[in-house]
Amino acid sequence: MLTSSVAQAPIRAGKGEGETVGIALLGFGTVGSEVFRLLQENADAFTHRIGGPAEVRGVAVSHVGNKPRPGVPKDLLTDDAAGLVTRDDIDLVVEVIGGIDFPRELVLTALNAGKSVVTANKALVAARADELAAAAEATGADLYFEAAVAAAIPVVGMLRRSLAGDQVERISGIVNGTTNFILDAMEATGASYDDALAEATRLGYAEADPTADVEGHDAASKAAIMASLAFHTRVNFDDVYCQGISDITAGDIQAANEAGFSIKLLAICERLRRDDGTEAVNARVHPALVRKEHPMASVSESYNAIFVESEAAGELMFYGNGAGGNPTASAVLGDVVGAARNIVHGGRAPGENTYANLPIASFGEVRTKFHIDMEVSDKLGVLKEVAGVFARRDVSLRTVRQEDGEETARLIVVTHSAREEVLEAIIDELRALDSVHAVHSVIRLSE
C-alpha cells in the first residue's frame, strides 16, 4: 500500500456556491499592493472564476500609520498579523512579507487553524517545507506557492500537475533576474562586475544588499523547491550546492565569447544514476558556460528561462519575466483562485508527496566539464606537464588553446565530462605546479 510522507487529513466540504471567501493579506509592498489592487479592480471576474466573492478583510503591515496606502480603507489595516490570520472571518491567508522566521510563525498559525495559505516566499518554502506540509496535511488546508519560483512562469503547477504522470530527469535554468541582468550587461557592454552591479542597483534590479541574488542564495531556494517537486524527494536549501557570480570578471566573459559561449548563473536539478544502479538527486547553483546557439544564451536582462527534461514529454522550455510586482502578483492571484475555489466547492490541491525519498547526492558525484583559464610559464614541456595532471586521473581534454605573452602564456583547456570531485582535485594539483603561475578561473560547462 502506498503512503504519503505525512498523515492525510480528510477532505473538507466547501462553503457552498456563492459564499464569500475571506482573505487576510500579509504584507503591502510591491507585490502585496498589486495583489490588493487587482482583487478590487477585477472583483466580478474573480467571483465568476472562484464561484463566490473574494473579499480582503484585513491587511497586515508593520506600522499602520507610517506611510500612506492609497486605495486601502484604514479599517482594513492592522499591525497584529497573528491576530488577523486566526480570525473566524478569514478563510485564506496570502503571505507576501518575505524572510523566514516571522512569516513561518504566521503561516504555521494559519495552517494549524485550518486556513489555506498562498505564499510567494521562496526562502520560507525551501527552508521549512517539511513542517509547512505537515501542518497543511493535518488540517486539510491548502498550501500554494507558485510565485516562489520564477514569478508568473508556471513552474510549480507544471511539476505538481502537468507532469504528475511523467518522470522528470533534469531541470536547468536561469531563475534569478538580477544575476542575469548583470551577466548580460557585462557581455553586452564589456563592463566589469562592479559596474554592472551598480547599474542593476540604479535601475532597481538589485537590492541595496544584493547578497542573496549575486551569491546564488535566491536561486538555490528555487532549486530546492523545484527538485523536491520534480523528484518526489524533500530537498532543502542546505542540500543545494551554491556558487554565485561575484568572482566573474570581464576577462571571463571575453574568454567565453571567444570560445562561443555565454556565462549564465544556472540552477540545475537532476536525477543521478550511481554505478551500483541506485538513483540519487542533486541540486546545484553555479555560473556555467552556455553555447551561443542554445536558447538559454539569448535570455537577456532580467528574464528567466527553465528547461525541463522528462521521460515521456521530452524537452520543455518555459520563458518569461521571473520577477517584479506584476508578474509575481499574477502568480499569487492564480493560486488565490485555486485555493478559493477549493474553499467554496470543497476538495484540495495536490500536496507534498515525497514517496520516492531518494538520497541527496553530494556535489562531488556530479559529472561535469570544466573550462580552466591558466597563466603558465612560456617554455617547452609545460603543456605536457599540465596534460599529465589530467591523464593521471583519466580525464581527457576536449580543447586546448594557448596564447603567448611576454614572459608567460595563457592556457585555456576544456575537459570532457568527469566527476566533480576528480576535477576539483585536478585544479588543486595544477595550482601546486611551479609552471602554473595562476589559475584565473574555473567555470563549468552546461550542455
Side-chain angles (χ1 to χ4, degrees), residues 66-104:
N66 70 338
K67 62 180 178 181
R69 296 178 175 89
V72 185
K74 288 185 178 180
D75 61 347
L76 287 184
L77 297 173
T78 178
D79 55 11
D80 181 13
L84 174 61
V85 302
T86 56
R87 275 173 28 185
D88 290 340
D89 64 338
I90 298 299
D91 305 298
L92 174 61
V93 173
V94 178
E95 186 272 308
V96 288
I97 300 172
I100 296 178
D101 293 336
F102 182 51
R104 168 186 169 271

Side-chain angles (χ1 to χ4, degrees), residues 181-191 253 257 262 292 300-301:
F181 179 90
I182 292 170
L183 293 172
D184 184 54
M186 291 175 71
E187 180 173 339
T189 67
I253 299 288
N257 276 323
S262 291
K292 292 283 191 182
S300 61
E301 298 183 340

